[in-house]
């Protein structure tokens, strides 16, 4: 069992910088939890407090039900993989991986067994005699992970471990870390600012902004039911469209009205929006939920709007249309076979079942 629990955890640097404000979350045994957010949101500080590398200003951190606030990092049974790998340049790969175990006075044959097993899992057996400078970025990354694996810790902590790798290698290592997680059945807390990494690897995502947790949920939940405008805009690429508008009563029920669009609210959402009639809201819709009418299934007048195409960006597998309607500007990710041309008026179909409606003032999601 390896569970990590944060209760009302605060970090205030030098009595004034509130880096983490009242963090509460649980990392369950064998769970892969990603702390996600923009630079400066407090995710690294949170990870370092779990590791014991940073003192907790207020609150409690428990590992396996034991309060660890005052426990030294080396006694917490955790392994930390840093962004820069922190390998010892004068040691071989083998020695780097064995070093922590030697310090802990693990018998030599046991060290040998664990290093070889980790090297086998990570496919770096042929590199054990090399020095770090003789390795590629991806190989160094693997050695850093190997050093953590041999410790067989309760919890693995990763701080942006893929950020120094090129894009292709990052995609590959992402899949490998995911496989490793399943194979080791490890409890992992992983920090990144890359929403794709978070979406692809996490069982659970903790999204932070300005030291405050914005939402905790599965990738599916944070993508489809973001708690507020910040989360909705941070997850997904290209970003969700946000348009100022109102909910109005009209023919057959409620409608979303913005400067350039008038679209029907699906019946299942009407109850939730009943108190928002004629009030200011923000209408959110993802680019992939807007279709070129030529390729839409069963378009209806109530979910279709005429727009003017501003820019066409063909990506090969799909096409991005930047369009204008009244004062609204939005992006649609449409079928690559779309014939839409710049300057042309076209009909777009909106999948309104996927929409989000946010309170204009609180920016919270209402559905
Ligand atoms: P990044 O992705 O850039 O590493 P982050 O989300 O991990 O960002 P933190 O490194 O946790 O953010 O920093 C959170 C806040 O705390 C920032 O405003 C940062 O400037 C501040 N901070 C971090 N370390 C210290 C420190 N030692 N002293 C004072 N302020 C600090």
């Amino acid at each position: 069992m390896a569970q990590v629990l944060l209760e009302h955890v605060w970090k205030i640097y030098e009595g004034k910088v509130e880096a983490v404000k009242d963090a509460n979350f649980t990392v369950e045994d064998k769970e892969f939890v990603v702390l996600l957010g923009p630079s400066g949101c407090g995710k690294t500080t949170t990870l370092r407090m779990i590791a014991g590398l940073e003192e907790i200003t207020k609150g409690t951190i428990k590992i396996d039900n034991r309060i660890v606030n005052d426990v030294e990092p080396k006694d917490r049974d955790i392994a930390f993989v840093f962004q820069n790998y922190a390998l010892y340049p004068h040691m071989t790969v083998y020695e780097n991986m064995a070093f922590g175990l030697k310090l802990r006075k693990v018998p030599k044959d046991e060290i040998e067994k664990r290093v070889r097993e980790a090297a086998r899992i990570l496919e770096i057996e042929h590199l054990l005699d090399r020095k770090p400078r003789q390795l590629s970025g991806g190989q160094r990354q693997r050695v850093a992970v190997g050093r953590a694996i041999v410790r067989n810790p309760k919890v693995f902590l990763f701080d942006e471990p893929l950020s120094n790798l090129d894009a292709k290698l990052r995609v590959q290592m992402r899949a490998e870390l995911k496989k490793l997680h399943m194979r080791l059945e490890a409890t992992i807390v992983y920090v990144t600012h890359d929403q794709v990494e978070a979406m692809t690897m996490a069982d659970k995502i903790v999204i932070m902004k300005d030291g405050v947790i914005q939402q905790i949920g599965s990738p599916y939940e944070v993508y489809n039911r973001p708690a507020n405008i910040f989360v909705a805009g941070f997850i997904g690429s290209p970003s969700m469209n946000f348009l100022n508008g109102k909910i109005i009563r009209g023919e057959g029920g409620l409608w979303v009205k913005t400067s350039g669009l008038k679209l029907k609210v699906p019946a299942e959402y009407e109850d939730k929006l009943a108190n928002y009639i004629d009030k200011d809201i923000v209408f959110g819709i993802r680019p992939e939920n807007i279709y070129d009418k030529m390729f839409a299934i069963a378009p209806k007048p109530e979910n279709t709007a005429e727009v003017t195409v501003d820019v066409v960006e063909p990506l090969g597998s799909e096409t991005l249309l930047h369009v204008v309607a009244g004062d609204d500007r939005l992006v649609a990710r449409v079928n690559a076979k779309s014939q839409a041309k710049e300057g042309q008026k076209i009909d777009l179909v909106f999948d309104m079942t996927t929409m989000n409606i946010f309170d204009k003032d609180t920016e919270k999601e209402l559905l």
Side-chain angles (χ1 to χ4, degrees):
M1 272 292 287
Q3 188 202 52
V4 180
L5 183 67
L6 277 78
E7 288 174 335
H8 302 293
V9 170
W10 289 72
K11 178 68 190 184
I12 305 170
Y13 286 108
E14 296 150 6
K16 53 180 192 291
V17 183
E18 295 185 335
V20 177
K21 301 183 216 179
D22 198 25
N24 292 282
F25 64 89
T26 309
V27 183
E28 302 293 353
D29 186 42
K30 303 187 178 61
E31 198 173 33
F32 195 138
V33 170
V34 174
L35 306 183
L36 174 69
S39 182
C41 72
K43 53 198 188 296
T44 299
T45 301
T46 304
L47 195 73
R48 289 174 61 83
M49 286 193 287
I50 297 171
L53 300 170
E54 206 68 72
E55 210 175 306
I56 300 163
T57 309
K58 272 190 275 182
T60 308
I61 296 184
K62 290 182 188 166
I63 298 178
D64 262 358
N65 256 330
R66 175 172 77 131
I67 296 176
V68 294
N69 288 30
D70 299 318
V71 176
E72 288 286 309
K74 66 175 175 45
D75 299 326
R76 291 193 183 196
D77 205 358
I78 44 137
F80 205 114
V81 179
F82 295 93
Q83 183 174 358
N84 59 8
Y85 319 141
L87 299 178
Y88 300 108
H90 58 286
M91 291 185 195
T92 64
V93 167
Y94 184 97
E95 288 161 350
N96 263 287
M97 286 169 68
F99 186 68
L101 299 179
K102 260 193 198 158
L103 281 186
R104 283 175 177 72
K105 310 234 172 346
V106 176
K108 213 166 160 213
D109 51 348
E110 174 67 18
I111 293 180
E112 166 106 23
K113 201 176 111 205
R114 289 209 216 164
V115 170
R116 298 224 170 259
E117 173 62 8
R120 193 181 58 77
I121 292 173
L122 295 165
E123 294 172 15
I124 50 171
E125 288 158 297
H126 58 298
L127 304 173
L128 287 172
D129 294 329
R130 291 206 199 163
K131 299 271 173 66
R133 69 176 139 65
Q134 298 166 308
L135 303 175
S136 70
Q139 290 167 338
R140 272 180 223 165
Q141 219 292 319
R142 258 172 252 190
V143 177
V145 174
R147 203 169 45 177
I149 292 178
V150 295
R151 299 257 319 276
N152 195 18
K154 278 210 175 102
V155 184
F156 288 87
L157 305 178
F158 287 92
D159 188 7
E160 307 235 8
L162 306 185
S163 58
N164 289 336
L165 305 179
D166 66 46
K168 195 167 159 215
L169 199 53
R170 237 183 358 239
V171 173
Q172 191 188 333
M173 285 303 294
R174 212 161 67 196
E176 286 189 21
L177 283 177
K178 196 168 165 168
K179 246 175 25 197
L180 192 69
H181 170 241
M182 290 192 271
R183 188 159 179 182
L184 298 177
E185 300 197 315
T187 304
I188 295 180
V189 190
Y190 185 107
V191 160
T192 183
H193 62 269
D194 181 339
Q195 52 102 11
V196 179
E197 265 177 41
M199 289 294 288
T200 51
M201 294 198 289
D203 296 317
K204 188 158 88 189
I205 302 178
V206 177
I207 302 182
M208 298 181 70
K209 179 193 167 211
D210 298 336
V212 179
I213 294 176
Q214 304 291 308
Q215 185 170 5
I216 301 173
S218 67
Y220 183 89
E221 284 163 350
V222 297
Y223 189 82
N224 293 292
R225 281 287 149 244
N228 56 39
I229 289 181
F230 172 78
V231 174
F234 196 75
I235 304 260
S237 177
S239 197
M240 184 183 281
N241 295 292
F242 297 111
L243 305 176
N244 288 319
K246 280 186 192 308
I247 302 293
I248 58 166
R249 195 177 285 289
E251 198 190 322
L254 301 184
W255 295 69
V256 175
K257 171 104 179 53
T258 69
S259 164
L261 307 174
K262 189 176 165 218
L263 300 161
K264 181 122 194 324
V265 171
E268 68 255 38
Y269 297 141
E270 288 205 342
D271 284 352
K272 286 194 173 136
L273 295 176
N275 291 334
Y276 280 83
I277 294 163
D278 293 330
K279 294 201 179 125
D280 290 338
I281 51 94
V282 176
F283 167 59
I285 185 125
R286 294 199 183 275
E288 59 269 36
N289 296 325
I290 309 174
Y291 301 85
D292 181 332
K293 189 179 170 190
M294 306 282 283
F295 299 93
I297 302 161
K300 296 183 211 121
E302 64 198 48
N303 62 10
T304 303
E306 189 186 67
V307 300
T308 304
V309 179
D310 187 22
V311 179
V312 179
E313 287 185 309
L315 301 176
S317 58
E318 66 222 5
T319 294
L320 298 183
L321 300 180
H322 298 251
V323 304
V324 181
D327 294 334
D328 300 333
R329 307 189 70 86
L330 57 162
V331 177
R333 198 162 100 189
V334 301
N335 193 303
K337 297 198 182 81
S338 167
Q339 297 298 309
K341 300 273 181 307
E342 273 118 5
Q344 205 180 30
K345 283 192 178 354
I346 62 160
D347 281 339
L348 292 180
V349 176
F350 293 71
D351 180 355
M352 294 295 279
T353 61
T354 69
M355 74 170 180
N356 292 101
I357 300 287
F358 303 96
D359 185 297
K360 178 93 163 67
D361 296 324
T362 66
E363 303 198 343
K364 291 211 168 97
E365 219 242 353
L366 299 173
L367 298 179

